[in-house]
Amino acid sequence: MTAPDDTAARYRRPVPVLWWTGRRPYLLFMIREFSSVFVAWSVVYLLLLVRAVAAGPAAYRGFMELSASWWMLALNVAALALTLFHTITWFVVTPKAVAVRVLGVRLPAFMVAGPLYTAWIAVSAFVVWLLVR
Amino acid sequence: MAREGRAGPRRRPVEPFLWLLFSGGGMAAAVLVPVLVLLFGVVFPLAGGPPYDHLRAVAAHPLTRVALLGLAVLAFFHWAHRFRFAVEHGLGLGRLDRLIAPLCYGAALAGSAAAAHVLFLTL
Amino acid sequence: MSAEPAMRAAETAGESIVLRVSRYLPGRDAEPVPRDYEVPLREEWSVLDGLNHVKDVLDGSLAYRWSCRMGICGSCGMTVNGEPRLTCGTFLSEFAPGPVVVEPLRGFAVIRDLVVDIEPFLGKLASVTPWLVRNGAEPPPDAEFAQTPEQLGAYKQFSMCINCMLCYSACPVYALDEDFLGPAAIALAQRYNLDSRDMGAAARFDVLAAAGGVWDCTYVGECSAACPKGVDPAGAIQQYKLTAAMETVRRFLLPKGAR
Ligand code: SF4
Ligand code: FES
């Protein structure tokens, strides 16, 4: 028996097309990426609202009725869940992705994440105040 | 080892700028979007929204328009970037980057133009 | 006395565990075939000890790499029950009652049994200029080049890499595109980029920001989860993305001569 050709006979394990379904961290990663669809949807929804507001009180009423329909509510509850997932994952990942150095020493993760959560709460509170005062 | 060219997406010098838009969008969306969806998507439809005149005054304020346009542009490019890679990696379509990437970023561009139209020409 | 009397009893009873080892001989097998070996289940035995038992006692034809048995040489990385692990630091008892599925590291071409082709990986490491570049400003050979603890701290984490390739094995982007430079090579580039003695960042930029470089990464983050040395290659890549983006903007804004 001759020695097998070392370079020709390597085995390459094929990657399944849906590789991310087989392992939890990969699946969570894909959900994180997919949350961007709901980020975009939320902005589209807001722009539709602005367009209705621009068109007058009747159009605004019409939009509010549409937004109270069960399927629109379901869509927006899903959007809320996934945009929250986006925010949390974004804030978990940012302190690792950005090395903030003060006087040559890298700040610990909580000192980067802390201001992010603070800004999130402050901006959210401001938006609520702006709209429902 | 013989290879039939790169399987993955080819890079253009524009990549860093797309990434900056993606990152800005991720940050803007993280801070702004959940509260807006909570209010306009869930709370107001169920409990009644703000009076029309107040909402119109808030929306038509120049700062609101600029902020919403900024959010829209960044959020759309954030989506485009993630969606592009989700499709290319998640469905094994990296070979089609030259088709998928222009479609994604083109859609973001169109969305940005539509946002500018709504915020500055109709309102 | 052992805190685990049950374990103790099991051992004296000669309990064993099945190692389901992926076997592949080019020319004979079209693809790897799993083969079961029964090895003693001892509390202090790692998966590597199990493989050594197979090789010494049951089947001398088994091929795999190992050396230090203490998580330093980085040569014993394999896929254990689906996860990339150092087999010398992974204990059989973790998988009792078994079987323990041992496969070659994913993402790499298999040469034989559990041995994968590391040449592409070595090429990637070499491509990032992994040494101190001094651009003609070499200090005399007998000179010391002192660094403050802060200067050392800037890159120390990235210097802990043992080239075990577990991070590549965990990376779906690398699995899909073998031209991707990958986690350890980019972390290695950062190990030198962030060293106060180094002047090679501009040369490395051309590799890191090119096709197959950092812009291919989607921050799955699993490379850092797999790393046995806490290198956090995913963090290194994202940090470099910001650096590279700023550098690109700078080059874009500044006229050619002013760089
Ligand atoms: S970065 Fe970590 S996982 Fe990757 S080769 Fe180095 S030690 Fe191994
Ligand atoms: S044998 Fe050296 S790291 Fe496992």
Short mmCIF file of all heavy atoms in Angstrom, two decimals, chain B residues 9-49:
data_model
loop_
_atom_site.label_atom_id
_atom_site.label_comp_id
_atom_site.label_asym_id
_atom_site.label_seq_id
_atom_site.Cartn_x
_atom_site.Cartn_y
_atom_site.Cartn_z
N PRO B 9 -17.72 37.87 1.45
CA PRO B 9 -17.94 39.16 0.82
C PRO B 9 -16.63 39.86 0.50
O PRO B 9 -15.67 39.74 1.24
CB PRO B 9 -18.71 39.94 1.89
CG PRO B 9 -18.94 39.05 3.03
CD PRO B 9 -18.17 37.80 2.83
N ARG B 10 -16.60 40.58 -0.59
CA ARG B 10 -15.43 41.40 -0.88
C ARG B 10 -15.56 42.75 -0.22
O ARG B 10 -16.66 43.27 -0.06
CB ARG B 10 -15.32 41.59 -2.40
CG ARG B 10 -14.41 40.57 -3.01
CD ARG B 10 -14.83 40.27 -4.46
NE ARG B 10 -14.44 38.91 -4.77
CZ ARG B 10 -15.22 37.86 -4.52
NH1 ARG B 10 -16.40 38.03 -3.99
NH2 ARG B 10 -14.80 36.66 -4.80
N ARG B 11 -14.43 43.32 0.18
CA ARG B 11 -14.48 44.59 0.91
C ARG B 11 -14.27 45.77 0.00
O ARG B 11 -13.48 45.73 -0.92
CB ARG B 11 -13.39 44.61 1.98
CG ARG B 11 -13.59 43.63 3.05
CD ARG B 11 -14.85 43.88 3.84
NE ARG B 11 -15.37 42.60 4.26
CZ ARG B 11 -16.64 42.26 4.17
NH1 ARG B 11 -17.52 43.10 3.71
NH2 ARG B 11 -17.04 41.08 4.56
N ARG B 12 -14.96 46.83 0.32
CA ARG B 12 -14.71 48.11 -0.34
C ARG B 12 -14.21 49.09 0.70
O ARG B 12 -14.45 48.90 1.88
CB ARG B 12 -16.01 48.61 -0.96
CG ARG B 12 -16.48 47.80 -2.12
CD ARG B 12 -17.97 48.04 -2.35
NE ARG B 12 -18.70 46.80 -2.40
CZ ARG B 12 -19.13 46.15 -1.33
NH1 ARG B 12 -18.90 46.62 -0.13
NH2 ARG B 12 -19.78 45.03 -1.46
N PRO B 13 -13.55 50.14 0.24
CA PRO B 13 -13.03 51.11 1.22
C PRO B 13 -14.15 51.79 2.00
O PRO B 13 -13.89 52.48 2.98
CB PRO B 13 -12.28 52.13 0.35
CG PRO B 13 -12.44 51.71 -1.06
CD PRO B 13 -13.16 50.43 -1.14
N VAL B 14 -15.38 51.60 1.56
CA VAL B 14 -16.51 52.25 2.22
C VAL B 14 -16.89 51.52 3.52
O VAL B 14 -17.63 52.03 4.35
CB VAL B 14 -17.71 52.30 1.24
CG1 VAL B 14 -18.27 50.92 0.99
CG2 VAL B 14 -18.79 53.24 1.73
N GLU B 15 -16.33 50.31 3.70
CA GLU B 15 -16.71 49.47 4.85
C GLU B 15 -16.63 50.19 6.21
O GLU B 15 -17.57 50.10 7.01
CB GLU B 15 -15.83 48.23 4.86
CG GLU B 15 -16.52 46.97 5.32
CD GLU B 15 -17.58 46.47 4.37
OE1 GLU B 15 -17.29 46.23 3.18
OE2 GLU B 15 -18.73 46.35 4.82
N PRO B 16 -15.53 50.90 6.52
CA PRO B 16 -15.47 51.57 7.82
C PRO B 16 -16.59 52.59 8.02
O PRO B 16 -17.09 52.73 9.14
CB PRO B 16 -14.11 52.28 7.82
CG PRO B 16 -13.36 51.73 6.67
CD PRO B 16 -14.29 51.04 5.75
N PHE B 17 -16.99 53.27 6.95
CA PHE B 17 -18.06 54.26 7.09
C PHE B 17 -19.39 53.58 7.35
O PHE B 17 -20.20 54.05 8.16
CB PHE B 17 -18.12 55.13 5.83
CG PHE B 17 -16.85 55.90 5.59
CD1 PHE B 17 -15.89 55.44 4.71
CD2 PHE B 17 -16.59 57.07 6.29
CE1 PHE B 17 -14.72 56.12 4.50
CE2 PHE B 17 -15.41 57.77 6.09
CZ PHE B 17 -14.47 57.29 5.20
N LEU B 18 -19.61 52.45 6.68
CA LEU B 18 -20.83 51.69 6.92
C LEU B 18 -20.87 51.21 8.36
O LEU B 18 -21.91 51.22 9.02
CB LEU B 18 -20.91 50.51 5.96
CG LEU B 18 -21.01 50.88 4.48
CD1 LEU B 18 -20.93 49.64 3.61
CD2 LEU B 18 -22.29 51.65 4.21
N TRP B 19 -19.70 50.80 8.86
CA TRP B 19 -19.64 50.31 10.24
C TRP B 19 -19.91 51.46 11.23
O TRP B 19 -20.60 51.26 12.24
CB TRP B 19 -18.27 49.69 10.52
CG TRP B 19 -18.16 49.16 11.92
CD1 TRP B 19 -18.65 47.98 12.39
CD2 TRP B 19 -17.56 49.83 13.04
NE1 TRP B 19 -18.39 47.87 13.74
CE2 TRP B 19 -17.73 48.98 14.16
CE3 TRP B 19 -16.90 51.05 13.21
CZ2 TRP B 19 -17.24 49.32 15.42
CZ3 TRP B 19 -16.43 51.38 14.47
CH2 TRP B 19 -16.60 50.52 15.55
N LEU B 20 -19.41 52.64 10.94
CA LEU B 20 -19.67 53.78 11.83
C LEU B 20 -21.17 54.10 11.85
O LEU B 20 -21.74 54.37 12.91
CB LEU B 20 -18.86 55.00 11.38
CG LEU B 20 -17.37 54.97 11.74
CD1 LEU B 20 -16.64 56.15 11.09
CD2 LEU B 20 -17.18 55.03 13.26
N LEU B 21 -21.81 54.06 10.68
CA LEU B 21 -23.26 54.29 10.63
C LEU B 21 -23.99 53.20 11.42
O LEU B 21 -24.93 53.48 12.18
CB LEU B 21 -23.74 54.29 9.18
CG LEU B 21 -23.45 55.55 8.37
CD1 LEU B 21 -23.74 55.31 6.90
CD2 LEU B 21 -24.27 56.73 8.89
N PHE B 22 -23.56 51.95 11.25
CA PHE B 22 -24.16 50.83 11.98
C PHE B 22 -24.03 51.05 13.48
O PHE B 22 -25.00 50.88 14.24
CB PHE B 22 -23.47 49.52 11.56
CG PHE B 22 -23.49 48.46 12.61
CD1 PHE B 22 -24.64 47.72 12.84
CD2 PHE B 22 -22.36 48.21 13.39
CE1 PHE B 22 -24.67 46.74 13.83
CE2 PHE B 22 -22.39 47.23 14.36
CZ PHE B 22 -23.53 46.50 14.59
N SER B 23 -22.85 51.44 13.92
CA SER B 23 -22.62 51.61 15.36
C SER B 23 -23.42 52.78 15.90
O SER B 23 -24.04 52.67 16.97
CB SER B 23 -21.13 51.85 15.63
OG SER B 23 -20.39 50.76 15.17
N GLY B 24 -23.42 53.89 15.17
CA GLY B 24 -24.21 55.04 15.61
C GLY B 24 -25.68 54.66 15.70
O GLY B 24 -26.37 55.03 16.66
N GLY B 25 -26.15 53.90 14.72
CA GLY B 25 -27.54 53.47 14.73
C GLY B 25 -27.85 52.55 15.89
O GLY B 25 -28.91 52.64 16.51
N GLY B 26 -26.92 51.66 16.19
CA GLY B 26 -27.12 50.75 17.32
C GLY B 26 -27.25 51.53 18.62
O GLY B 26 -28.10 51.22 19.46
N MET B 27 -26.42 52.54 18.76
CA MET B 27 -26.45 53.33 20.00
C MET B 27 -27.73 54.17 20.08
O MET B 27 -28.42 54.18 21.10
CB MET B 27 -25.21 54.23 20.06
CG MET B 27 -24.97 54.86 21.40
SD MET B 27 -24.92 53.67 22.75
CE MET B 27 -23.21 53.17 22.69
N ALA B 28 -28.05 54.87 18.97
CA ALA B 28 -29.26 55.71 18.96
C ALA B 28 -30.50 54.86 19.22
O ALA B 28 -31.37 55.23 20.02
CB ALA B 28 -29.37 56.44 17.63
N ALA B 29 -30.57 53.71 18.55
CA ALA B 29 -31.74 52.85 18.71
C ALA B 29 -31.82 52.30 20.12
O ALA B 29 -32.91 52.21 20.70
CB ALA B 29 -31.69 51.71 17.70
N ALA B 30 -30.68 51.94 20.69
CA ALA B 30 -30.68 51.37 22.04
C ALA B 30 -31.26 52.35 23.04
O ALA B 30 -32.02 51.99 23.94
CB ALA B 30 -29.25 50.98 22.44
N VAL B 31 -30.92 53.63 22.88
CA VAL B 31 -31.34 54.63 23.86
C VAL B 31 -32.77 55.11 23.59
O VAL B 31 -33.54 55.35 24.53
CB VAL B 31 -30.34 55.82 23.82
CG1 VAL B 31 -30.85 56.97 24.64
CG2 VAL B 31 -28.98 55.36 24.33
N LEU B 32 -33.16 55.24 22.34
CA LEU B 32 -34.42 55.92 22.01
C LEU B 32 -35.60 55.00 21.68
O LEU B 32 -36.74 55.32 21.99
CB LEU B 32 -34.18 56.84 20.80
CG LEU B 32 -33.82 58.30 21.11
CD1 LEU B 32 -33.39 59.00 19.84
CD2 LEU B 32 -35.01 59.02 21.74
N VAL B 33 -35.32 53.89 21.00
CA VAL B 33 -36.43 53.16 20.39
C VAL B 33 -37.36 52.46 21.39
O VAL B 33 -38.58 52.55 21.25
CB VAL B 33 -35.90 52.19 19.30
CG1 VAL B 33 -36.99 51.23 18.85
CG2 VAL B 33 -35.39 52.99 18.11
N PRO B 34 -36.83 51.77 22.42
CA PRO B 34 -37.77 51.05 23.30
C PRO B 34 -38.84 51.96 23.91
O PRO B 34 -40.02 51.59 23.90
CB PRO B 34 -36.86 50.45 24.38
CG PRO B 34 -35.55 50.27 23.70
CD PRO B 34 -35.43 51.45 22.78
N VAL B 35 -38.47 53.13 24.38
CA VAL B 35 -39.46 53.99 25.02
C VAL B 35 -40.49 54.47 23.99
O VAL B 35 -41.69 54.56 24.27
CB VAL B 35 -38.79 55.18 25.75
CG1 VAL B 35 -38.16 56.15 24.79
CG2 VAL B 35 -39.81 55.91 26.62
N LEU B 36 -40.05 54.75 22.76
CA LEU B 36 -40.98 55.21 21.72
C LEU B 36 -41.96 54.10 21.34
O LEU B 36 -43.15 54.36 21.15
CB LEU B 36 -40.19 55.69 20.49
CG LEU B 36 -39.42 57.00 20.71
CD1 LEU B 36 -38.51 57.30 19.53
CD2 LEU B 36 -40.38 58.16 20.95
N VAL B 37 -41.45 52.87 21.23
CA VAL B 37 -42.34 51.75 20.90
C VAL B 37 -43.30 51.50 22.06
O VAL B 37 -44.50 51.25 21.85
CB VAL B 37 -41.52 50.47 20.59
CG1 VAL B 37 -42.46 49.30 20.32
CG2 VAL B 37 -40.62 50.70 19.40
N LEU B 38 -42.78 51.58 23.28
CA LEU B 38 -43.64 51.36 24.44
C LEU B 38 -44.79 52.36 24.45
O LEU B 38 -45.96 51.99 24.61
CB LEU B 38 -42.81 51.49 25.73
CG LEU B 38 -43.59 51.40 27.04
CD1 LEU B 38 -44.15 49.99 27.20
CD2 LEU B 38 -42.71 51.75 28.23
N LEU B 39 -44.48 53.65 24.23
CA LEU B 39 -45.52 54.68 24.29
C LEU B 39 -46.46 54.59 23.10
O LEU B 39 -47.66 54.41 23.25
CB LEU B 39 -44.87 56.07 24.35
CG LEU B 39 -44.15 56.41 25.66
CD1 LEU B 39 -43.52 57.78 25.58
CD2 LEU B 39 -45.12 56.33 26.84
N PHE B 40 -45.91 54.71 21.88
CA PHE B 40 -46.76 54.83 20.70
C PHE B 40 -47.31 53.49 20.23
O PHE B 40 -48.36 53.44 19.59
CB PHE B 40 -45.98 55.49 19.56
CG PHE B 40 -45.77 56.96 19.77
CD1 PHE B 40 -44.52 57.46 20.07
CD2 PHE B 40 -46.85 57.85 19.70
CE1 PHE B 40 -44.32 58.82 20.28
CE2 PHE B 40 -46.67 59.21 19.90
CZ PHE B 40 -45.39 59.69 20.20
N GLY B 41 -46.60 52.42 20.53
CA GLY B 41 -47.03 51.11 20.04
C GLY B 41 -47.93 50.37 21.00
O GLY B 41 -48.72 49.53 20.58
N VAL B 42 -47.78 50.63 22.31
CA VAL B 42 -48.51 49.83 23.29
C VAL B 42 -49.36 50.70 24.22
O VAL B 42 -50.59 50.51 24.31
CB VAL B 42 -47.54 48.96 24.13
CG1 VAL B 42 -48.32 48.09 25.11
CG2 VAL B 42 -46.67 48.10 23.22
N VAL B 43 -48.74 51.69 24.89
CA VAL B 43 -49.47 52.44 25.92
C VAL B 43 -50.55 53.34 25.31
O VAL B 43 -51.72 53.28 25.71
CB VAL B 43 -48.49 53.28 26.77
CG1 VAL B 43 -49.25 54.18 27.73
CG2 VAL B 43 -47.54 52.37 27.53
N PHE B 44 -50.20 54.16 24.34
CA PHE B 44 -51.16 55.10 23.76
C PHE B 44 -52.32 54.39 23.07
O PHE B 44 -53.48 54.78 23.25
CB PHE B 44 -50.47 56.08 22.80
CG PHE B 44 -49.52 57.02 23.49
CD1 PHE B 44 -48.54 57.70 22.77
CD2 PHE B 44 -49.60 57.25 24.86
CE1 PHE B 44 -47.67 58.58 23.40
CE2 PHE B 44 -48.72 58.13 25.49
CZ PHE B 44 -47.75 58.79 24.77
N PRO B 45 -52.07 53.34 22.29
CA PRO B 45 -53.20 52.63 21.67
C PRO B 45 -54.16 52.06 22.70
O PRO B 45 -55.36 52.02 22.46
CB PRO B 45 -52.53 51.50 20.88
CG PRO B 45 -51.16 52.00 20.60
CD PRO B 45 -50.78 52.84 21.77
N LEU B 46 -53.67 51.66 23.85
CA LEU B 46 -54.53 51.04 24.86
C LEU B 46 -55.15 52.08 25.78
O LEU B 46 -56.32 51.98 26.16
CB LEU B 46 -53.72 50.03 25.70
CG LEU B 46 -53.28 48.77 24.97
CD1 LEU B 46 -52.43 47.89 25.87
CD2 LEU B 46 -54.50 48.00 24.45
N ALA B 47 -54.37 53.13 26.16
CA ALA B 47 -54.85 54.07 27.17
C ALA B 47 -55.19 55.44 26.58
O ALA B 47 -55.58 56.34 27.30
CB ALA B 47 -53.78 54.23 28.26
N GLY B 48 -55.08 55.58 25.28
CA GLY B 48 -55.36 56.88 24.67
C GLY B 48 -54.10 57.72 24.57
O GLY B 48 -53.34 57.84 25.53
N GLY B 49 -53.90 58.30 23.39
CA GLY B 49 -52.68 59.05 23.16
C GLY B 49 -52.80 60.51 23.59
O GLY B 49 -53.85 60.93 24.08
#
